[in-house]
């Protein structure tokens, strides 16, 4: 594929993701990741699309590839923790979620705490 074709395919994948057609977004992104495996943005888009389309084993594989290459990538750690939770692997999930929180500087319970705080409207 040429560079212009890759950009067009990436933009299409983004549009499908935004339209919540996660399976199609993953299908479009996979060849881009295969062509440029070091691109963090492509791998994150693929992992997110796989997660949201309930392809959890594949999402875990992508997220582990990201965290192997970028061990300080807090968002990938958070996604990996959420993926492991959905797979019922709570002990592994907790370790990843704690690491994500430490890397981002957020408290471990930040998402839960923020959702339960009363609004100031």
């Amino acid at each position: 594929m040429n560079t212009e074709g890759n950009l067009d395919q990436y933009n299409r994948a983004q549009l499908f993701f935004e339209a919540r057609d996660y399976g199609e977004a993953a299908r479009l992104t996979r060849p881009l990741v295969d062509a440029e495996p070091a691109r963090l943005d492509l791998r994150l888009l693929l992992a997110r699309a796989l997660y949201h389309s309930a392809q959890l084993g594949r999402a875990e594989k992508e997220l582990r590839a990201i965290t192997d290459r970028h061990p300080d990538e807090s968002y990938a750690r958070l996604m990996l923790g959420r993926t492991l939770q959905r797979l019922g692997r709570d002990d592994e999930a907790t370790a990843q979620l704690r690491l994500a929180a430490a890397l981002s500087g957020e408290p471990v319970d930040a998402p839960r705490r923020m959702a339960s705080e009363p609004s100031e409207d």
Side-chain angles (χ1 to χ4, degrees):
M1 281 192 268
N2 61 37
T3 304
E4 187 174 313
N6 287 353
L7 181 59
D8 180 54
Q9 190 163 338
Y10 176 76
N11 289 335
R12 287 181 53 224
Q14 285 277 15
L15 289 173
F16 277 102
F17 187 88
E18 291 168 10
R20 297 182 181 195
D21 187 343
Y22 304 117
E24 186 63 11
R27 188 189 70 76
L28 289 168
T29 308
R30 175 84 264 166
L32 299 174
V33 169
D34 290 343
E36 298 183 69
R39 292 253 326 255
L40 179 60
D41 60 332
L42 295 176
R43 280 205 182 265
L44 281 172
L45 177 60
L46 178 57
R48 291 172 61 215
L50 292 168
Y51 173 86
H52 287 294
S53 62
Q55 298 180 59
L56 302 177
R58 290 178 178 165
E60 178 187 2
K61 182 179 175 187
E62 289 304 320
L63 291 163
R64 290 201 186 274
I66 293 168
T67 58
D68 285 349
R69 184 168 281 199
H70 306 277
D72 61 341
E73 176 56 48
S74 64
Y75 184 68
R77 297 273 179 195
L78 174 66
M79 284 188 59
L80 180 55
R82 298 289 185 232
T83 300
L84 293 168
Q85 281 179 327
R86 287 181 67 186
L87 289 167
R89 293 160 50 194
D90 292 336
D91 290 343
E92 290 176 78
T94 298
Q96 292 297 324
L97 294 172
R98 286 186 176 157
L99 186 50
L103 289 168
S104 68
E106 293 292 322
V108 173
D109 67 340
R112 193 172 48 241
R113 185 174 45 89
M114 288 172 35
S116 65
E117 289 177 352
S119 64
E120 296 181 21
D121 302 291

